[in-house]
Amino acid sequence: MAGAPLPPSNGGTSWSRLKTPLLLPTWAMIGVFLLIPVLLMAVYSFLTKEFRGGVIWDFTLAAYDQFFFNRGLFGDEPPVIEWTYISIFWRSIWQAGLATVACLLVGFPTAWFIATRPPSQRSVWLFLITIPYWVNLLIRTVSLKFLIRDNGPLNEFLMGLGVITDPLPLVNTNLAVQLGLFYSYLPFMVLPIYAAVERYNFALSEAAADLYAPRWTILREVVLPVVKPGIVAGCLLVFVPSLGAFLAPDLLGGAKTYMIGSLIDEQFKGSQGNWPFGAAVAVVLMTLVLIALFLQARAAAKGARE
Amino acid sequence: MKRLFTTAAAFALMAGAAQAEGKLSVYHWFEYIPQELVDKFEAETGIEVTIDTYDSNESMLASLKAGKLGQYDVAVPADFMVKIMGDEGMLDTFTPEEMTNLGNIAPQWLDVPFDQGRKSSIPYQWGSTSFSVNRDVYPGDISSLSILFNPPEELKGKINVLDSQNEVLILGSLYLGIPQCSTDREQLKALNDMLLAAKPSWASFGSDTAKEVLVSGDAAAGMIYNGFSAKARAEGANVEYSYPKEGHVLWMDNMVLLKDAPNRENAIKFMNFLLVPENAAAVTNYAAYSSGVTGVEPFLDDAIKNSPENNPPAGITPGVFAQACDAETQKFYDAIWTNLKK
């Protein structure tokens, strides 16, 4: 856009005349694919559940009541705080956070390694990183299950070495879910950090070293501030989809406990078919994410002012 | 070049012929009909068949309710779901004159409670749900549902349970001797508490993986459908299917004629086709359940015909069909299931 040559004389006015029609596709895109679905979900969360799936157009707060209050098995005891769904949220946030940290610990050195290769080799390394991700996520998750099961290759290998005598119970545990999330989203961490590190001017590190800065100080004071946008982007790209993941908990965790994603999935596909409740869970999740982003943005603005 | 035109013209003619005979739109379970049988029907009638699949009765109902009714000609709900769909007015009826092969239905499946006198549905396959145990791991007594709900030490942490509310809650009720669709508070609380106490002994919930975990050895026992267990055995797992003394779940999947079917004529042709013993046997040979059609025996594979899963020993406790509870009662069962899964 910026490079488009404009007529020198009345360029400004013709540009502003064109601005609205040119922005229309963007607005249509945001409207059709973002605003309408989100609004639809918000509206559905206030509707009445129809017996066995679907909704009745009667407005009610029943879905939110179910989320926050427990009225006993028969629904007539005095309401107490419902910890079930809060703990599902907590567990999901914890799992997604751990996955993000694990991805960062592995992803940052990987990205650094690739970015410091000669330019001719970099694309090969990036290519190798992305190859497994040409395969469907479902297939990769199932394959991971095959690898870590009680009589799978990993346990056979470790037992063959004599490291362990009994197979490690990995499959159907939270650790397996963790492994699945880490493996699924690792490239989302590597790629943005690589993009940031690639642009880093290594003369800065040399300058800091010339001024007798120890290695850790160089990393902390010089490198990290420059590549921070890449790290933040990578963390968001791993954390957000991990939060909503349902393949890993279902297949690797044995579907024994819900994460947010599988809880919502069950409301729309399962036998209970409670669409308003599923929509309400999604609305609560989105509200939490928006609040977190808002607080983060405010803190960032405050930091910039100081 | 001339030959190319001829071929193209031939294709156009064939397409035209298929068009003239019309289409058939089937809404079906995943992996439940052999492709060869569909090909045979298309070859015999010139009708072009398209199949969309679903993975649970409830998701099928939900998507038909959400506006797909009128796009499909036939679907394959289980017994209790036939009743629900009938009550909701989602089914069309046919006359015995139209359904010329109605007489092929085995007598005990003709006058069923979910479709008195078979006015909207025909049997597709029927079978049972209980559990199987890997006999290498546990050679002991498996004649009780306590294998699932209060398992012996050898099986603890090695049990897969179907991720299906109906089946888990009905088997749990049978174990406790509670009637289905109970509204008795003490009974429902007992069911809730019993399931919560059993859950720590279970390794996983999974329906479509129920066979695979037994074959791979991830699970040493599992709630499973009889045909699925037979397949697990055929794939090398030393599993035995139990007909427990407390009872088991019986089910029948039925092909129903949907309301507002766009190709009603062709749907009737297809249903008549599936009632031909040879064709019903082809489905059974593929799915390893039982057909509900008389005269299939000569066409059945020996392995299917003689499988212990399909031939329960004499004197077992008879199975029960799932009942469709009313909305008020169903709420309690939904709550128990949520409690169990959270």
Side-chain angles (χ1 to χ4, degrees):
Chain A
M1 287 285 161
L6 294 168
S9 55
N10 57 352
T13 44
S14 84
W15 172 238
S16 53
R17 247 192 305 126
L18 270 176
K19 209 158 129 189
T20 318
L22 280 179
L23 277 175
L24 266 181
T26 314
W27 283 114
M29 188 90 165
I30 292 177
V32 172
F33 293 115
L34 184 78
L35 288 179
I36 293 179
V38 168
L39 281 178
L40 210 59
M41 188 179 71
V43 170
Y44 263 60
S45 73
F46 291 104
L47 296 178
T48 305
K49 168 198 172 181
E50 194 186 346
F51 186 39
R52 299 177 195 285
V55 289
I56 304 167
W57 282 82
D58 285 331
F59 286 88
T60 165
L61 285 171
Y64 292 94
D65 183 81
Q66 184 185 343
F67 190 93
F68 290 110
F69 298 108
N70 182 349
R71 293 167 196 273
L73 192 55
F74 303 97
D76 55 3
E77 291 164 31
V80 291
I81 299 279
E82 172 67 271
W83 290 105
T84 309
Y85 305 112
I86 296 172
S87 60
I88 290 173
F89 268 62
W90 175 244
R91 186 162 57 227
S92 306
I93 291 169
W94 173 247
Q95 288 270 31
L98 275 181
T100 310
V101 171
C103 280
L104 184 62
L105 287 179
V106 174
F108 187 83
T110 312
W112 186 272
F113 173 82
I114 297 174
T116 49
R117 294 308 97 190
S120 58
Q121 285 178 22
R122 286 179 204 164
S123 52
V124 178
W125 286 105
L126 283 180
F127 182 69
L128 289 177
I129 292 271
T130 52
I131 279 184
Y133 297 85
W134 297 1
V135 178
N136 180 290
L137 176 63
L138 178 65
I139 311 241
R140 275 184 288 129
T141 309
V142 173
S143 315
L144 196 60
K145 188 178 169 185
F146 276 102
L147 281 176
I148 63 172
R149 68 173 25 147
D150 284 0
N151 44 12
L154 179 70
N155 272 314
E156 304 255 312
F157 176 71
L158 289 177
M159 288 201 289
L161 282 184
V163 182
I164 48 172
T165 48
D166 288 319
L168 291 174
L170 283 173
V171 87
N172 299 327
T173 62
N174 280 339
L175 190 65
V177 177
Q178 195 51 244
L179 197 64
L181 293 177
F182 163 75
Y183 173 61
S184 304
Y185 300 116
L186 183 59
F188 295 142
M189 183 66 87
V190 173
L191 297 179
I193 297 183
Y194 163 78
V197 174
E198 199 197 16
R199 283 197 301 271
Y200 176 68
N201 184 353
F202 282 89
L204 292 175
S205 294
E206 286 170 26
D210 287 347
L211 295 168
Y212 298 105
R215 287 177 158 228
W216 279 110
T217 315
I218 299 177
L219 180 70
R220 216 173 50 237
E221 300 289 333
V222 183
V223 179
L224 281 184
V226 177
V227 299
K228 195 172 144 197
I231 294 177
V232 171
C235 288
L236 276 179
L237 285 178
V238 173
F239 184 76
V240 174
S242 297
L243 207 52
F246 62 91
L247 277 182
D250 261 21
L251 290 171
L252 297 168
K256 268 197 302 183
T257 47
Y258 286 129
M259 276 179 69
I260 300 175
S262 41
L263 177 68
I264 296 176
D265 181 51
E266 172 107 354
Q267 304 311 317
F268 289 93
K269 270 175 51 192
S271 40
Q272 291 170 289
N274 193 340
W275 294 8
F277 184 65
V281 176
V283 168
V284 172
L285 175 63
M286 204 170 64
T287 312
L288 283 179
V289 171
L290 283 179
I291 289 175
L293 286 179
F294 174 75
L295 288 179
Q296 198 251 346
R298 220 174 58 166
K302 206 173 149 204
R305 268 202 310 275
E306 276 164 4
Chain B
M1 201 57 175
K2 197 176 162 195
R3 202 170 133 208
L4 186 70
F5 274 121
T6 328
T7 325
F11 268 116
L13 277 176
M14 274 160 65
Q19 213 72 48
E21 295 304 335
K23 299 181 177 208
L24 177 70
S25 202
V26 178
Y27 202 26
H28 209 331
W29 290 85
F30 64 97
E31 283 179 42
Y32 206 5
I33 189 163
Q35 185 58 43
E36 301 79 53
L37 195 64
V38 179
D39 295 343
K40 183 180 167 193
F41 177 73
E42 290 187 322
E44 275 182 16
T45 59
I47 294 169
E48 190 188 330
V49 181
T50 48
I51 300 181
D52 286 347
T53 62
Y54 52 86
D55 61 2
S56 77
N57 280 297
E58 288 79 10
S59 64
M60 179 263 297
L61 180 75
S63 92
L64 286 178
K65 269 187 168 181
K68 292 265 181 76
L69 197 64
Q71 288 181 28
Y72 295 111
D73 300 302
V74 291
V76 189
D79 42 86
F80 69 99
M81 192 51 77
V82 174
K83 175 98 174 86
I84 290 169
M85 293 170 79
D87 289 348
E88 298 229 0
M90 298 167 77
L91 303 182
D92 196 0
T93 53
F94 47 74
T95 63
E97 291 75 38
E98 287 178 304
M99 201 59 70
T100 45
N101 289 339
L102 210 58
N104 292 354
I105 299 177
Q108 75 266 35
W109 297 118
L110 202 50
D111 212 18
V112 284
F114 50 84
D115 184 15
Q116 297 279 349
R118 291 285 181 189
K119 296 186 177 67
S120 308
S121 70
I122 60 161
Y124 187 74
Q125 291 279 287
W126 68 274
S128 65
T129 311
S130 76
F131 64 89
S132 287
V133 177
N134 187 326
R135 295 311 243 156
D136 296 336
V137 178
Y138 184 71
D141 177 31
I142 60 164
S143 67
S144 165
L145 283 168
S146 64
I147 291 286
L148 294 175
F149 299 116
N150 186 15
E153 213 44 56
E154 295 95 318
L155 293 174
K156 276 192 177 149
K158 293 179 180 162
I159 296 174
N160 178 63
V161 170
L162 293 176
D163 199 357
S164 155
Q165 178 175 338
N166 245 327
E167 256 116 1
V168 175
L169 297 191
I170 294 176
L171 283 177
S173 300
L174 285 174
Y175 177 57
L176 294 180
I178 295 173
Q180 286 186 55
C181 298
S182 167
T183 50
D184 182 290
R185 294 184 156 227
E186 291 307 313
Q187 293 181 341
L188 288 169
K189 251 194 98 36
L191 178 62
N192 183 58
D193 296 346
M194 185 278 288
L195 289 171
L196 285 182
K199 188 183 174 188
S201 307
W202 299 343
S204 54
F205 283 94
S207 297
D208 39 7
T209 54
K211 178 191 72 176
E212 184 244 321
V213 290
L214 285 177
V215 175
S216 71
D218 284 353
M223 198 181 283
I224 198 166
Y225 318 108
N226 62 339
F228 230 27
S229 181
K231 283 191 170 185
R233 193 168 47 81
E235 289 174 26
N238 181 20
V239 291
E240 182 177 338
Y241 184 76
S242 167
Y243 282 95
K245 61 181 182 219
E246 295 91 346
H248 56 274
V249 178
L250 275 181
W251 48 262
M252 169 170 261
D253 288 329
N254 306 269
M255 184 161 282
V256 293
L257 182 60
L258 290 170
K259 196 179 145 224
D260 303 330
N263 314 291
R264 191 175 179 280
E265 292 278 305
N266 294 343
I268 303 256
K269 274 187 200 162
F270 190 53
M271 291 165 97
N272 267 321
F273 173 82
L274 287 174
L275 284 176
V276 174
E278 190 181 349
N279 301 332
V283 178
T284 293
N285 284 334
Y286 177 79
Y289 298 109
S290 309
S291 79
V293 170
T294 46
V296 291
E297 286 74 16
F299 306 102
L300 290 179
D301 296 344
D302 281 343
I304 302 284
K305 194 165 32 181
N306 303 325
S307 83
E309 290 84 358
N310 276 339
N311 297 286
I316 56 151
T317 313
V320 295
F321 278 96
Q323 289 166 22
C325 311
D326 59 56
E328 219 27 62
T329 314
Q330 188 62 37
K331 254 204 246 168
F332 303 142
Y333 285 91
D334 288 352
I336 292 175
W337 182 248
T338 310
N339 269 341
L340 181 62
K341 282 295 293 283
K342 70 196 179 187

